Amino acid sequence: MKKYEEQYYFMMRSVDDERIPSLSPDRNTSERKYDIRQFSLGESPFIFVNGALDYNKKRGVPSLKKIPDVLFNGLDLLIPSAMREALLELNISGLYMHPSVYIHDDGKWYENYWYMSFVEGFDCWSRLRSDYDKDGEAINLGGFELHQIYHYAFNDDLLKSIPESQRLLFKMGGSLDPFIVCHESILNIFKSGNGNGIKFIQVGDC
C-alpha cells in the first residue's frame, strides 16, 4: 500500500508561465471579507482581477490569451462550473464554493467561475515526523496554532480512522501555508479542461 504522502497532492498556482493571472479581489469583494466569511448562493458574486497586471506591463509581459480553467487567489481556487458539479457529487465536508467573476486584462468578464475554499482546515500532519519550526513560537489565529512547516508527513493513525471518502479534499490545518490537498483518486477533476494554471506537488515531495 502506498504511503499517505504518496496518495495526496498539494494544489498550487503554476509558475511555469508568468502570464498566468495572479488573482486579487476588487475593492467591493475585499471589503466583504470574502476569505473569512461564508456567503449564501443568492448573494452577489465575488469579483477578481489580475493583481499582477501592472507589474507585468512594466516588464513587457504580454497578457495570456486563453484563460486557464483553474485560477488562484492566494492558496484558494477559482474553478469552472463543471468542476464544481463534479465536486458536489462527492459531498466533501467543509467545502465552500461561491459564484465568482474574473475580469481579464482586456476587460472581458468570465462569469463561469466559483471561488473554492474550506470552512476550516484539517490538521492532519504529524508533529513527530514532519520537519517544522519547533523552536519558533506558533502563530495563534482564530484559536488555532499555525506552524511553519518545511516538510510534511501525515498523522497516519488519524487518517486511518477516517474513511477515504471523507478525506478526498481538504485544506491543511495547523500550517501557516494552508494548501488545499487532493487525493490522487480525484485529481482528474482538476486536470480536466485547460489546466495550465495549476500544478500538483506530491505531499511527500514537499
Side-chain angles (χ1 to χ4, degrees):
M1 178 180 175
K2 286 184 178 178
K3 296 179 180 178
Y4 286 118
E5 292 82 12
E6 296 174 339
Q7 298 177 36
Y8 286 91
Y9 290 78
F10 290 123
M11 299 198 294
M12 303 178 182
R13 175 177 173 269
S14 174
V15 294
D16 294 337
D17 187 341
E18 58 187 341
R19 299 172 301 165
I20 294 173
S22 177
L23 302 193
S24 295
D26 74 351
R27 182 174 179 178
N28 178 265
T29 299
S30 180
E31 290 177 349
R32 293 167 70 188
K33 302 187 184 302
Y34 71 100
D35 54 343
I36 58 175
R37 290 181 53 201
Q38 280 188 273
F39 295 81
S40 66
L41 287 178
E43 295 187 72
S44 59
F46 301 150
I47 297 179
F48 296 90
V49 298
N50 182 6
L53 176 58
D54 290 340
Y55 177 69
N56 284 347
K57 280 184 176 179
K58 291 177 181 178
R59 296 171 57 238
V61 177
S63 294
L64 200 63
K65 299 300 182 184
K66 188 174 183 180
I67 310 303
D69 280 347
V70 178
L71 296 169
F72 279 80
N73 169 236
L75 298 178
D76 293 322
L77 282 64
L78 256 66
I79 61 172
S81 294
M83 289 185 188
R84 172 182 179 267
E85 293 300 319
L87 292 174
L88 287 176
E89 292 181 6
L90 299 174
N91 195 28
I92 293 172
S93 177
L95 180 62
Y96 168 59
M97 295 182 282
H98 190 78
S100 297
V101 174
Y102 169 60
I103 304 176
H104 193 41
D105 304 348
D106 56 5
K108 183 176 179 180
W109 286 42
Y110 292 82
E111 303 181 53
N112 190 40
Y113 280 108
W114 292 77
Y115 174 78
M116 186 192 109
S117 188
F118 283 82
V119 176
E120 61 183 31
F122 176 36
D123 189 341
C124 57
W125 57 276
S126 169
R127 270 57 171 179
L128 294 177
R129 299 192 299 118
S130 297
D131 180 13
Y132 69 103
D133 187 0
K134 299 180 179 68
D135 299 324
E137 188 173 345
I139 303 297
N140 192 298
L141 187 63
F144 297 97
E145 286 193 350
L146 308 180
H147 297 267
Q148 182 64 59
I149 306 171
Y150 307 115
H151 181 75
Y152 289 85
F154 283 120
N155 180 334
D156 289 354
D157 290 338
L158 176 58
L159 293 189
K160 285 177 185 176
S161 71
I162 301 171
E164 184 180 283
S165 62
Q166 296 178 24
R167 49 176 169 81
L168 293 174
L169 189 70
F170 56 87
K171 174 172 279 195
M172 183 65 75
S175 172
L176 286 171
D177 297 307
F179 298 111
I180 291 180
V181 186
C182 183
H183 191 266
E184 61 183 358
S185 64
I186 64 167
L187 278 180
N188 282 340
I189 292 176
F190 298 97
K191 289 181 177 179
S192 61
N194 179 26
N196 65 355
I198 186 172
K199 66 177 179 179
F200 306 94
I201 306 295
Q202 197 174 70
V203 170
D205 294 334
C206 193

